[in-house]
Amino acid sequence: MTGQIRYHAADAQGIARVEIAHPGKLNALSVAMWGELRSVFEALKAQAPAPRVVVVHGADGAFVAGADIEEFPRFRFDEESLRSYHDSLVAPALRAMLDVDVPLVAAIEGPCVGGGLEIAACCDLRVAGRGARFGIPVARLGFPVAPREAEILAERLGLPLVRELLLEARLLDAAEAQRRGVVQHVVDDDAVLAQARRLAERVAALSPQALALNKQVLRQIAQGGTNAELRDRFFAFADSREHREGLAAFLEKREPKF
């Protein structure tokens, strides 16, 4: 069976799922799957109404064990095909994830390495099992991380940590990954999806408008600072229903209905 990126539409609570599945390969991403990942998130960005939260997870007890290395000899030894793979396929797929205004929750079981760590880094909140492992040890395979992907990793995880992961080619266990800020929550391996679901439910109860604006601001800060267009339109939420409802609920001592 070939690999697939499966989109599961939002349920009654507004929680959708993106499932990465490649049986027998610990969900390693094939060339085709990178293209599917981009398509799924580009469609998600254009979706109206959008889900409130998206949980990103792997199938069958693994997150993503990198890219499908068995495909590499087909394109890695030619400069132009290698450039196309990274700059026209992988990096745009990751940017499609980053461009989505919906909060993304990663549920990480087992290996989260190489391209898997890149995908997890593009999520906003991350839950890991105690048996999860994190790293990008491509120097062991004789190649570096492509520049645009290294930029994303440094932007999302911090340059000192990424420097360490790339230059030592080491793997972090879940406890160290939490200490280093790679994940926010660590739970038993059999509780990862349930904990990610609970986290998604908490996020889904918040104001979608506020979360989307927060993501837009944080995205621009990570890339150097907010621009004039965002600052000019930012306060247009002043008379919105969600703004009024949130403040009214607080004053009335009840839960808001966003």
Side-chain angles (χ1 to χ4, degrees):
M1 181 178 177
T2 59
Q4 293 180 311
I5 306 296
R6 302 167 180 159
Y7 179 72
H8 302 267
D11 59 18
Q13 290 179 276
I15 301 171
R17 292 187 292 118
V18 172
E19 180 183 17
I20 302 166
H22 199 168
K25 294 199 173 185
L26 295 174
N27 304 325
L29 269 80
S30 65
V31 169
M33 291 170 71
W34 281 113
E36 291 175 14
L37 187 72
R38 179 181 182 180
S39 296
V40 163
F41 280 95
E42 286 181 342
L44 183 61
K45 182 175 177 62
Q47 186 175 330
R52 289 176 175 247
V53 191
V54 176
V55 175
V56 180
H57 66 98
D60 302 323
F63 190 66
V64 176
D68 188 348
I69 296 176
E70 289 186 6
E71 293 185 333
F72 280 8
R74 298 197 335 234
F75 60 84
R76 287 206 72 91
F77 305 128
D78 175 80
E79 182 176 348
E80 288 309 311
S81 62
L82 181 59
R83 184 193 309 276
S84 178
Y85 171 76
H86 284 287
D87 285 354
S88 301
L89 189 67
V90 177
L94 299 174
R95 280 294 168 194
M97 293 184 68
L98 293 173
D99 285 345
V100 170
D101 288 339
V102 174
L104 306 180
V105 175
I108 303 167
E109 302 171 282
C112 179
V113 297
L117 181 59
E118 293 176 344
I119 290 170
C122 291
C123 295
D124 302 293
L125 301 168
R126 305 174 201 108
V127 177
R130 301 189 198 284
R133 294 295 180 267
F134 303 82
I136 189 159
V138 291
R140 297 179 187 173
L141 301 175
F143 61 87
V145 171
R148 292 172 66 188
E149 295 161 52
E151 289 174 359
I152 290 171
L153 286 167
E155 171 190 315
R156 304 291 290 188
L157 302 180
L159 186 57
L161 174 59
V162 173
R163 188 189 307 277
E164 183 178 331
L165 293 177
L166 294 184
L167 299 185
E168 294 187 31
R170 63 187 290 249
L171 297 179
L172 307 181
D173 62 21
E176 185 171 3
Q178 186 176 32
R179 289 195 299 271
R180 305 295 294 275
V182 178
V183 299
Q184 288 82 25
H185 307 276
V186 174
V187 297
D188 291 339
D189 291 329
D190 60 1
V192 173
L193 287 173
Q195 177 64 22
R197 172 73 195 193
R198 287 191 290 271
L199 177 57
E201 288 173 352
R202 292 199 298 272
V203 174
L206 302 173
S207 162
Q209 172 182 255
L211 296 178
L213 285 169
N214 281 337
K215 284 203 64 172
Q216 291 169 28
V217 170
L218 293 171
R219 183 187 303 129
Q220 291 193 10
I221 290 173
Q223 296 172 359
T226 58
N227 61 33
E229 185 275 331
L230 176 60
R231 294 193 297 271
D232 285 347
R233 65 174 170 81
F234 185 83
F235 295 102
F237 71 84
D239 193 36
S240 66
R241 187 199 70 81
E242 289 183 27
H243 190 200
R244 291 182 177 278
E245 167 62 11
L247 293 179
F250 179 83
L251 294 172
E252 296 166 12
K253 297 181 173 54
R254 61 175 174 82
E255 291 297 316
K257 296 179 180 179
F258 296 121

